[in-house]
mmCIF file of all heavy atoms in Angstrom:
data_model
loop_
_atom_site.group_PDB
_atom_site.id
_atom_site.type_symbol
_atom_site.label_atom_id
_atom_site.label_comp_id
_atom_site.label_asym_id
_atom_site.label_seq_id
_atom_site.Cartn_x
_atom_site.Cartn_y
_atom_site.Cartn_z
ATOM 1 N N THR A 491 101.919 68.036 91.370
ATOM 2 C CA THR A 491 101.271 67.595 90.133
ATOM 3 C C THR A 491 101.697 66.193 89.711
ATOM 4 O O THR A 491 100.919 65.453 89.120
ATOM 5 C CB THR A 491 101.566 68.569 88.981
ATOM 6 O OG1 THR A 491 102.986 68.656 88.792
ATOM 7 C CG2 THR A 491 101.014 69.956 89.302
ATOM 8 N N HIS A 492 102.959 65.824 90.005
ATOM 9 C CA HIS A 492 103.445 64.490 89.633
ATOM 10 C C HIS A 492 104.671 64.164 90.481
ATOM 11 O O HIS A 492 105.529 65.028 90.692
ATOM 12 C CB HIS A 492 103.807 64.451 88.142
ATOM 13 C CG HIS A 492 103.970 63.067 87.586
ATOM 14 N ND1 HIS A 492 105.090 62.296 87.830
ATOM 15 C CD2 HIS A 492 103.148 62.319 86.797
ATOM 16 C CE1 HIS A 492 104.958 61.135 87.213
ATOM 17 N NE2 HIS A 492 103.786 61.114 86.587
ATOM 18 N N PRO A 493 104.789 62.939 90.988
ATOM 19 C CA PRO A 493 105.930 62.605 91.854
ATOM 20 C C PRO A 493 107.281 62.639 91.149
ATOM 21 O O PRO A 493 108.320 62.695 91.810
ATOM 22 C CB PRO A 493 105.606 61.188 92.356
ATOM 23 C CG PRO A 493 104.606 60.647 91.386
ATOM 24 C CD PRO A 493 103.831 61.819 90.887
ATOM 25 N N ASP A 494 107.295 62.624 89.802
ATOM 26 C CA ASP A 494 108.570 62.602 89.079
ATOM 27 C C ASP A 494 108.966 63.954 88.498
ATOM 28 O O ASP A 494 109.962 64.044 87.769
ATOM 29 C CB ASP A 494 108.504 61.567 87.939
ATOM 30 C CG ASP A 494 108.372 60.143 88.463
ATOM 31 O OD1 ASP A 494 108.923 59.865 89.542
ATOM 32 O OD2 ASP A 494 107.705 59.327 87.802
ATOM 33 N N VAL A 495 108.194 65.000 88.790
ATOM 34 C CA VAL A 495 108.514 66.322 88.249
ATOM 35 C C VAL A 495 109.860 66.794 88.791
ATOM 36 O O VAL A 495 110.135 66.712 89.991
ATOM 37 C CB VAL A 495 107.420 67.341 88.619
ATOM 38 C CG1 VAL A 495 107.884 68.760 88.327
ATOM 39 C CG2 VAL A 495 106.148 67.055 87.842
ATOM 40 N N MET A 496 110.717 67.283 87.878
ATOM 41 C CA MET A 496 112.029 67.812 88.264
ATOM 42 C C MET A 496 112.188 69.207 87.667
ATOM 43 O O MET A 496 111.720 69.470 86.567
ATOM 44 C CB MET A 496 113.162 66.901 87.789
ATOM 45 C CG MET A 496 113.118 65.499 88.373
ATOM 46 S SD MET A 496 114.488 64.466 87.804
ATOM 47 C CE MET A 496 115.838 65.176 88.747
ATOM 48 N N ARG A 497 112.851 70.091 88.408
ATOM 49 C CA ARG A 497 113.066 71.447 87.934
ATOM 50 C C ARG A 497 114.459 71.932 88.327
ATOM 51 O O ARG A 497 115.034 71.504 89.321
ATOM 52 C CB ARG A 497 112.021 72.409 88.541
ATOM 53 C CG ARG A 497 110.596 72.171 88.064
ATOM 54 C CD ARG A 497 110.398 72.575 86.624
ATOM 55 N NE ARG A 497 109.017 72.385 86.187
ATOM 56 C CZ ARG A 497 108.557 71.305 85.591
ATOM 57 N NH1 ARG A 497 109.368 70.278 85.356
ATOM 58 N NH2 ARG A 497 107.290 71.242 85.214
ATOM 59 N N TYR A 498 114.971 72.870 87.502
ATOM 60 C CA TYR A 498 116.181 73.601 87.871
ATOM 61 C C TYR A 498 115.772 74.782 88.751
ATOM 62 O O TYR A 498 114.710 75.367 88.553
ATOM 63 C CB TYR A 498 116.897 74.136 86.628
ATOM 64 C CG TYR A 498 117.526 73.078 85.759
ATOM 65 C CD1 TYR A 498 116.872 72.612 84.623
ATOM 66 C CD2 TYR A 498 118.782 72.564 86.070
ATOM 67 C CE1 TYR A 498 117.448 71.648 83.813
ATOM 68 C CE2 TYR A 498 119.365 71.602 85.255
ATOM 69 C CZ TYR A 498 118.699 71.144 84.135
ATOM 70 O OH TYR A 498 119.280 70.192 83.341
ATOM 71 N N PHE A 499 116.616 75.121 89.701
ATOM 72 C CA PHE A 499 116.311 76.243 90.580
ATOM 73 C C PHE A 499 117.505 77.176 90.707
ATOM 74 O O PHE A 499 118.655 76.747 90.687
ATOM 75 C CB PHE A 499 115.925 75.756 91.984
ATOM 76 C CG PHE A 499 114.538 75.193 92.059
ATOM 77 C CD1 PHE A 499 114.340 73.825 92.035
ATOM 78 C CD2 PHE A 499 113.436 76.025 92.151
ATOM 79 C CE1 PHE A 499 113.062 73.291 92.108
ATOM 80 C CE2 PHE A 499 112.155 75.505 92.221
ATOM 81 C CZ PHE A 499 111.970 74.147 92.204
ATOM 82 N N MET A 500 117.192 78.455 90.856
ATOM 83 C CA MET A 500 118.213 79.476 91.081
ATOM 84 C C MET A 500 117.560 80.593 91.891
ATOM 85 O O MET A 500 116.368 80.857 91.748
ATOM 86 C CB MET A 500 118.730 80.012 89.744
ATOM 87 C CG MET A 500 119.751 81.118 89.853
ATOM 88 S SD MET A 500 120.338 81.649 88.221
ATOM 89 C CE MET A 500 121.463 80.321 87.809
ATOM 90 N N THR A 501 118.322 81.241 92.754
ATOM 91 C CA THR A 501 117.763 82.350 93.518
ATOM 92 C C THR A 501 117.576 83.561 92.600
ATOM 93 O O THR A 501 118.310 83.738 91.629
ATOM 94 C CB THR A 501 118.661 82.744 94.695
ATOM 95 O OG1 THR A 501 119.912 83.214 94.191
ATOM 96 C CG2 THR A 501 118.900 81.560 95.618
ATOM 97 N N ILE A 502 116.598 84.389 92.913
ATOM 98 C CA ILE A 502 116.322 85.564 92.090
ATOM 99 C C ILE A 502 117.517 86.512 92.033
ATOM 100 O O ILE A 502 117.885 86.980 90.949
ATOM 101 C CB ILE A 502 115.064 86.297 92.596
ATOM 102 C CG1 ILE A 502 113.836 85.400 92.444
ATOM 103 C CG2 ILE A 502 114.847 87.600 91.842
ATOM 104 C CD1 ILE A 502 112.552 86.032 92.941
ATOM 105 N N PRO A 503 118.175 86.822 93.171
ATOM 106 C CA PRO A 503 119.330 87.725 93.085
ATOM 107 C C PRO A 503 120.448 87.189 92.198
ATOM 108 O O PRO A 503 121.057 87.940 91.424
ATOM 109 C CB PRO A 503 119.785 87.857 94.547
ATOM 110 C CG PRO A 503 118.566 87.567 95.349
ATOM 111 C CD PRO A 503 117.833 86.528 94.584
ATOM 112 N N GLU A 504 120.722 85.875 92.296
ATOM 113 C CA GLU A 504 121.781 85.310 91.475
ATOM 114 C C GLU A 504 121.407 85.379 90.000
ATOM 115 O O GLU A 504 122.231 85.725 89.142
ATOM 116 C CB GLU A 504 122.049 83.856 91.878
ATOM 117 C CG GLU A 504 123.212 83.230 91.124
ATOM 118 C CD GLU A 504 123.464 81.778 91.505
ATOM 119 O OE1 GLU A 504 122.640 81.198 92.240
ATOM 120 O OE2 GLU A 504 124.484 81.227 91.058
ATOM 121 N N ALA A 505 120.142 85.068 89.677
ATOM 122 C CA ALA A 505 119.698 85.111 88.285
ATOM 123 C C ALA A 505 119.810 86.525 87.722
ATOM 124 O O ALA A 505 120.312 86.728 86.613
ATOM 125 C CB ALA A 505 118.255 84.608 88.183
ATOM 126 N N ALA A 506 119.349 87.522 88.486
ATOM 127 C CA ALA A 506 119.395 88.904 88.005
ATOM 128 C C ALA A 506 120.830 89.373 87.790
ATOM 129 O O ALA A 506 121.144 90.041 86.796
ATOM 130 C CB ALA A 506 118.685 89.820 89.004
ATOM 131 N N GLU A 507 121.699 88.997 88.703
ATOM 132 C CA GLU A 507 123.107 89.388 88.593
ATOM 133 C C GLU A 507 123.746 88.778 87.350
ATOM 134 O O GLU A 507 124.509 89.433 86.627
ATOM 135 C CB GLU A 507 123.847 88.933 89.850
ATOM 136 C CG GLU A 507 125.133 89.665 90.126
ATOM 137 C CD GLU A 507 125.702 89.304 91.476
ATOM 138 O OE1 GLU A 507 126.057 88.115 91.681
ATOM 139 O OE2 GLU A 507 125.804 90.183 92.346
#
Side-chain angles (χ1 to χ4, degrees):
T491 59
H492 195 284
D494 294 327
V495 168
M496 299 181 74
R497 293 289 182 267
Y498 291 98
F499 284 100
M500 178 178 283
T501 63
I502 296 179
E504 184 181 8
E507 201 172 63

